[in-house]
Amino acid sequence: MHKSEINVGLFYMEGTNCDSELYHGFKMQNVNVETIPINKISKNFDLMKYHILMVPGGFSGGDYIRAGALFSARLKHLFQDKLKSYIKEGRIFGGICNGFQVLIELGLLPGFEKDFRVEAALTNNVSNKFECRLSILSVNKNNNSAISYNIKKDKLYSLPVAHAEGNFVVGNKKLLNEIENNNMVIFRYVNPKGEIDEYPWNPNGSINNIAGISNEEGNVFGLMPHPERVLYKYTSRNWIVEQSNNNIYGDGWYLINSIVSYAEKKL
């Protein structure tokens, strides 16, 4: 599939605040992008016109009840059966920060095969504070998700986090072992040496320093850090040192480019 044929849809609702940046990130890839306000669409809305669907970050519904709970309930009401078909076709569905929380609340992650049963959560940060700063991520070399499809897996990526509920937990050790053994972990929080480390390098206390996961197939994924906020070098932490490099792109650009490359190859 050529880039010009790829259609991207960005869901948003009241409280979403990162849709503009994510829209720009995909426009930089020369694909077709639309924003989709879920309060203005019906159950007849055609999901299958999109090859990539994303849920951006923010505080949907004010994060009342739980982070992502209201957004996920609305998506489930509108599209439960359609989402199953969409994902089984291998189309891409991703969530960033609040979007990751939405996918967890939907039961799409760790895996939709369990009929939308919720078996994980993104709960309060161990610091009991809103954490807003840069994080450093290592990449699982054995993960083949859309967002890691063609990025350099021996590189550390620096992306900002901005959340109060990013602490990834699972219902039991068996499920955690499945996630690990099936290479569903995409990113882990690390220190500048690339080593697993505790807070503050792990900004939320997430188990096994997990910053993002995918389903086994790799077409559904979520992560807490924000790639759409580091599309250009000058928004990265080392931009003064790196500005002599003719490459203008920040770390986040490569992650969004990877999603598009996956769609080009797989769909």
Side-chain angles (χ1 to χ4, degrees), residues 216-233:
E216 288 187 57
E217 293 74 18
N219 62 318
V220 182
F221 65 87
L223 68 160
M224 288 308 296
H226 288 270
E228 79 284 0
R229 296 187 183 182
V230 197
L231 298 173
Y232 297 99
K233 270 285 196 303

Side-chain angles (χ1 to χ4, degrees), residues 54-191:
M54 297 289 298
V55 183
F59 304 92
S60 58
D63 279 348
Y64 293 116
I65 306 178
R66 294 179 308 279
L70 293 176
F71 203 152
S72 67
R74 293 172 77 169
L75 285 175
K76 191 172 183 179
H77 170 71
L78 287 168
F79 302 129
Q80 178 166 327
D81 293 333
K82 289 182 178 179
L83 278 175
K84 286 184 180 181
S85 299
Y86 178 93
I87 292 166
K88 284 181 179 178
E89 283 195 10
R91 296 172 187 247
I92 300 162
F93 195 15
I96 298 171
C97 194
N98 192 230
F100 186 15
Q101 294 163 338
V102 170
L103 267 60
I104 291 285
E105 287 285 333
L106 267 172
L108 291 179
L109 290 172
F112 76 96
E113 295 87 353
K114 297 171 182 176
D115 199 27
F116 293 90
R117 188 166 72 244
V118 178
E119 293 188 310
L122 289 157
T123 189
N124 293 342
N125 298 343
V126 291
S127 64
N128 288 316
K129 297 188 297 185
F130 181 82
E131 299 285 349
C132 183
R133 52 192 165 78
L134 286 169
S135 66
I136 302 172
L137 307 176
S138 66
V139 188
N140 179 1
K141 295 179 181 180
N142 296 314
N143 176 268
N144 294 308
S145 65
I147 201 166
S148 67
Y149 177 69
N150 74 342
I151 62 175
K152 293 180 179 179
K153 295 189 176 181
D154 57 351
K155 176 185 182 318
L156 298 181
Y157 289 81
S158 184
L159 303 179
V161 293
H163 58 256
E165 298 169 69
N167 182 2
F168 180 72
V169 297
V170 296
N172 55 69
K173 189 172 182 179
K174 179 183 176 182
L175 178 58
L176 180 61
N177 289 336
E178 287 180 7
I179 292 169
E180 293 284 2
N181 294 336
N182 292 319
N183 291 306
M184 296 163 69
V185 176
I186 310 171
F187 303 110
R188 298 185 201 272
Y189 302 110
V190 294
N191 64 27

